[in-house]
Amino acid sequence: MSKRILVPMTYSEESEKALAHALSNFPDAEITVIHVINPHVHYGTEGYVGYEQILEEEQRNAEELFETATHIAEEHDVTISTEQLTGHTPRRIVEYAEEHEFDQLVLGSRGRSGIPRLLLGSVAEAVTRRSPIPVTIVR
């Protein structure tokens, strides 16, 4: 049985389902929820005017996300820890999992296929390919 579970979250219903899955299936595990802020994806390169403001806004939004995650955990009578990261999303998730010696990753996926998946990519797929630990994908 896994003892340390990492749940990367975004602002999606699928992420909430992934957290609920982890809480239900690993009730005695230490669960950490992370959110990776990647301002470069939406806003271009670092150093342009407004970069710091965008980063601050993303950090405030992440705090609201963590409040939601904490509420979901409380519904399962579990306490979680949270961590905010910055960088390339799949890479940071895998690095964090390795650095902190997690036993399992649980993340949500929207289940895109075809052209939308090609155009938008898949964080879940990239994490699964790079992860040295087991990954559970929840749709």
Side-chain angles (χ1 to χ4, degrees), residues 67-80:
E67 287 177 19
T68 299
T70 300
H71 178 71
I72 293 168
E74 287 171 350
E75 290 175 350
H76 288 82
D77 293 323
V78 176
T79 301
I80 60 169

Side-chain angles (χ1 to χ4, degrees), residues 33-133:
V33 171
I34 62 170
H35 176 70
V36 181
I37 298 170
N38 187 357
H40 302 285
V41 168
H42 302 290
Y43 308 108
T45 60
E46 185 175 347
Y48 69 93
V49 176
Y51 177 83
E52 291 298 323
Q53 291 83 4
I54 291 167
L55 193 56
E56 288 173 13
E57 181 178 341
E58 290 287 338
Q59 290 169 339
R60 282 191 301 274
N61 291 339
E63 288 304 318
E64 292 178 20
L65 177 69
F66 292 147
E67 287 177 19
T68 299
T70 300
H71 178 71
I72 293 168
E74 287 171 350
E75 290 175 350
H76 288 82
D77 293 323
V78 176
T79 301
I80 60 169
S81 57
T82 60
E83 184 77 31
Q84 198 176 87
L85 308 171
T86 303
H88 181 260
T89 305
R91 186 177 306 125
R92 286 299 291 139
I93 292 169
V94 172
E95 288 172 352
Y96 190 85
E98 287 178 316
E99 291 167 4
H100 295 87
E101 300 178 353
F102 283 92
D103 300 306
Q104 173 120 17
L105 272 157
V106 177
L107 62 153
S109 175
R110 292 191 175 145
R112 289 189 180 113
S113 62
I115 299 297
R117 182 165 157 246
L118 290 174
L119 295 174
L120 300 173
S122 170
V123 170
E125 180 181 355
V127 167
T128 301
R129 286 184 181 193
R130 294 177 179 166
S131 178
I133 62 173

Side-chain angles (χ1 to χ4, degrees), residues 16-26 76 106 136 138:
E16 292 180 15
K17 287 179 182 177
L19 177 57
H21 176 85
L23 294 164
S24 296
N25 289 287
F26 305 102
H76 288 82
V106 177
T136 300
V138 178

Side-chain angles (χ1 to χ4, degrees), residues 14 28 36:
E14 292 81 11
D28 298 325
V36 181

